[in-house]
Protein backbone atom coordinates (compact mmCIF):
# COMPACT_ATOMS: atom_id res chain seq x y z
CA UNK A 1 0.00 0.00 0.00
CA UNK A 2 1.37 3.40 -0.95
CA UNK A 3 2.19 5.72 1.91
CA UNK A 4 -0.30 8.57 2.17
CA UNK A 5 0.97 12.11 2.33
CA UNK A 6 0.01 13.65 5.66
CA UNK A 7 -1.39 17.16 5.42
CA UNK A 8 -3.02 19.49 7.93
CA UNK A 9 -6.45 18.49 6.64
CA UNK A 10 -6.06 14.70 6.80
CA UNK A 11 -3.71 14.45 9.79
CA UNK A 12 -6.46 13.73 12.33
CA UNK A 13 -8.18 11.13 10.15
CA UNK A 14 -4.91 9.25 9.67
CA UNK A 15 -4.15 9.31 13.42
CA UNK A 16 -7.63 8.00 14.23
CA UNK A 17 -7.51 5.31 11.53
CA UNK A 18 -4.18 4.01 12.82
CA UNK A 19 -5.40 4.17 16.42
CA UNK A 20 -8.58 2.20 15.74
CA UNK A 21 -6.83 -0.29 13.43
CA UNK A 22 -4.05 -1.28 15.85
CA UNK A 23 -4.60 -3.15 19.13
CA UNK A 24 -3.88 -1.07 22.23
CA UNK A 25 -1.98 -3.92 23.87
CA UNK A 26 0.86 -3.33 21.40
CA UNK A 27 1.15 0.27 22.65
CA UNK A 28 2.10 -0.83 26.17
CA UNK A 29 5.63 -1.86 25.21
CA UNK A 30 6.18 0.63 22.40
CA UNK A 31 9.06 3.03 22.94
CA UNK A 32 8.90 6.41 21.22
CA UNK A 33 12.19 8.10 20.51
CA UNK A 34 12.63 11.51 22.08
CA UNK A 35 10.40 10.87 25.09
CA UNK A 36 11.82 10.91 28.59
CA UNK A 37 11.38 7.94 30.90
CA UNK A 38 8.65 9.62 33.00
CA UNK A 39 6.73 10.54 29.81
CA UNK A 40 6.92 6.93 28.66
CA UNK A 41 5.67 5.79 32.08
CA UNK A 42 2.80 8.31 31.91
CA UNK A 43 1.95 7.08 28.41
CA UNK A 44 1.91 3.43 29.54
CA UNK A 45 -0.32 4.31 32.50
CA UNK A 46 -2.79 6.04 30.21
CA UNK A 47 -2.82 3.09 27.80
CA UNK A 48 -3.44 0.74 30.74
CA UNK A 49 -6.29 2.88 32.09
CA UNK A 50 -7.99 2.97 28.67
CA UNK A 51 -7.64 -0.80 28.35
CA UNK A 52 -9.30 -1.22 31.74
CA UNK A 53 -12.00 1.27 30.78
CA UNK A 54 -12.79 -0.65 27.59
CA UNK A 55 -14.10 -3.49 29.75
CA UNK A 56 -16.99 -1.21 30.74
CA UNK A 57 -17.22 1.41 27.98
CA UNK A 58 -17.38 0.89 24.24
CA UNK A 59 -14.74 2.22 21.87
CA UNK A 60 -15.90 5.65 20.66
CA UNK A 61 -16.58 6.35 17.02
CA UNK A 62 -13.98 7.96 14.79
CA UNK A 63 -16.21 11.03 14.46
CA UNK A 64 -16.35 11.59 18.23
CA UNK A 65 -12.57 11.23 18.54
CA UNK A 66 -12.11 13.57 15.59
CA UNK A 67 -14.33 16.23 17.18
CA UNK A 68 -12.35 16.19 20.45
CA UNK A 69 -9.01 16.33 18.65
CA UNK A 70 -10.22 19.16 16.41
CA UNK A 71 -11.08 21.21 19.51
CA UNK A 72 -7.62 20.57 20.97
CA UNK A 73 -6.01 21.63 17.72
CA UNK A 74 -8.11 24.80 17.43
CA UNK A 75 -8.34 26.00 21.02
CA UNK A 76 -5.54 24.26 22.92
CA UNK A 77 -2.54 24.13 20.57
CA UNK A 78 -0.11 23.45 23.43
CA UNK A 79 -2.16 20.41 24.52
CA UNK A 80 -2.36 19.29 20.90
CA UNK A 81 1.41 19.52 20.42
CA UNK A 82 2.18 17.65 23.64
CA UNK A 83 -0.27 14.83 22.91
CA UNK A 84 0.97 14.60 19.32
CA UNK A 85 4.58 14.39 20.46
CA UNK A 86 3.69 11.62 22.93
CA UNK A 87 1.54 9.95 20.23
CA UNK A 88 -1.43 9.55 22.56
CA UNK A 89 -3.95 11.97 21.12
CA UNK A 90 -6.80 9.57 20.18
CA UNK A 91 -6.00 7.56 23.32
CA UNK A 92 -6.38 10.63 25.50
CA UNK A 93 -9.66 11.50 23.75
CA UNK A 94 -10.98 8.00 24.51
CA UNK A 95 -9.76 8.26 28.11
CA UNK A 96 -11.58 11.57 28.48
CA UNK A 97 -14.81 10.02 27.19
CA UNK A 98 -14.43 7.09 29.60
CA UNK A 99 -13.93 9.51 32.47
CA UNK A 100 -17.08 11.39 31.47
CA UNK A 101 -18.92 8.07 31.31
CA UNK A 102 -17.78 7.20 34.85
CA UNK A 103 -19.00 10.58 36.11
CA UNK A 104 -22.35 10.20 34.38
CA UNK A 105 -22.79 6.72 35.84
CA UNK A 106 -22.46 8.20 39.35
CA UNK A 107 -25.25 10.74 38.84
CA UNK A 108 -28.65 10.06 40.40
CA UNK A 109 -31.06 8.22 38.14
CA UNK A 110 -33.54 11.12 38.00
CA UNK A 111 -31.58 14.36 37.72
CA UNK A 112 -34.73 16.50 37.77
CA UNK A 113 -35.44 15.72 41.42
CA UNK A 114 -31.96 16.78 42.51
CA UNK A 115 -31.61 19.86 40.34
CA UNK A 116 -31.14 23.05 42.34
CA UNK A 117 -33.84 24.88 40.41
CA UNK A 118 -36.51 22.26 41.13
CA UNK A 119 -35.74 22.20 44.85
CA UNK A 120 -36.42 25.92 45.23
CA UNK A 121 -39.02 28.00 43.48
CA UNK A 122 -38.16 30.36 40.68
CA UNK A 123 -39.01 33.29 42.93
CA UNK A 124 -36.61 32.02 45.61
CA UNK A 125 -33.63 31.74 43.28
CA UNK A 126 -30.89 33.91 44.84
CA UNK A 127 -29.46 34.65 41.41
CA UNK A 128 -32.71 36.37 40.40
CA UNK A 129 -32.73 38.76 43.35
CA UNK A 130 -31.74 42.22 42.23
CA UNK A 131 -31.33 45.30 44.41
CA UNK A 132 -34.25 47.69 44.15
Amino acid sequence: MAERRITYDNELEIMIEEYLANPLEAELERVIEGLEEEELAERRAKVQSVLEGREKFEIPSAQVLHNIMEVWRAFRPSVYKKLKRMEIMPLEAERLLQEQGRIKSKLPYNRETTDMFTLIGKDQDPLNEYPE
Side-chain angles (χ1 to χ4, degrees):
M1 184 168 90
E3 188 68 28
R4 287 187 290 178
R5 187 167 170 262
I6 298 175
T7 65
Y8 182 82
D9 294 326
N10 71 1
E11 169 183 56
L12 297 180
E13 286 87 359
I14 291 172
M15 272 191 255
I16 293 167
E17 272 179 36
E18 289 176 1
Y19 176 75
L20 295 175
N22 297 320
L24 259 185
E25 290 80 3
E27 292 294 312
L28 281 173
E29 299 306 317
R30 189 163 153 237
V31 176
I32 299 169
E33 290 183 33
L35 291 187
E36 297 171 8
E37 199 56 44
E38 55 268 3
E39 288 175 320
L40 285 171
E42 176 187 346
R43 186 178 190 281
R44 282 188 199 104
K46 288 183 179 189
V47 170
Q48 190 62 43
S49 73
V50 168
L51 281 171
E52 291 167 5
R54 281 189 178 181
E55 295 172 10
K56 182 175 180 183
F57 303 102
E58 60 193 30
I59 300 173
S61 70
Q63 184 60 52
V64 171
L65 294 174
H66 184 278
N67 291 347
I68 294 171
M69 292 161 64
E70 193 64 61
V71 168
W72 284 336
R73 183 159 71 176
F75 296 111
R76 300 272 189 267
S78 60
V79 170
Y80 179 80
K81 288 175 188 161
K82 178 186 176 199
L83 294 175
K84 186 176 173 184
R85 186 174 66 81
M86 292 176 71
E87 295 186 22
I88 58 169
M89 196 170 327
L91 176 94
E92 188 65 17
E94 183 176 351
R95 197 179 74 75
L96 179 69
L97 290 168
Q98 289 176 355
E99 193 59 39
Q100 288 176 342
R102 282 188 192 95
I103 291 169
K104 284 181 186 172
S105 67
K106 293 178 185 175
L107 293 175
Y109 177 70
N110 186 354
R111 287 284 318 265
E112 292 176 358
T113 58
T114 58
D115 190 19
M116 179 177 86
F117 297 107
T118 59
L119 295 176
I120 59 173
K122 184 178 171 187
D123 299 333
Q124 298 170 310
D125 184 1
L127 298 176
N128 288 337
E129 293 177 7
Y130 300 104
E132 297 288 324

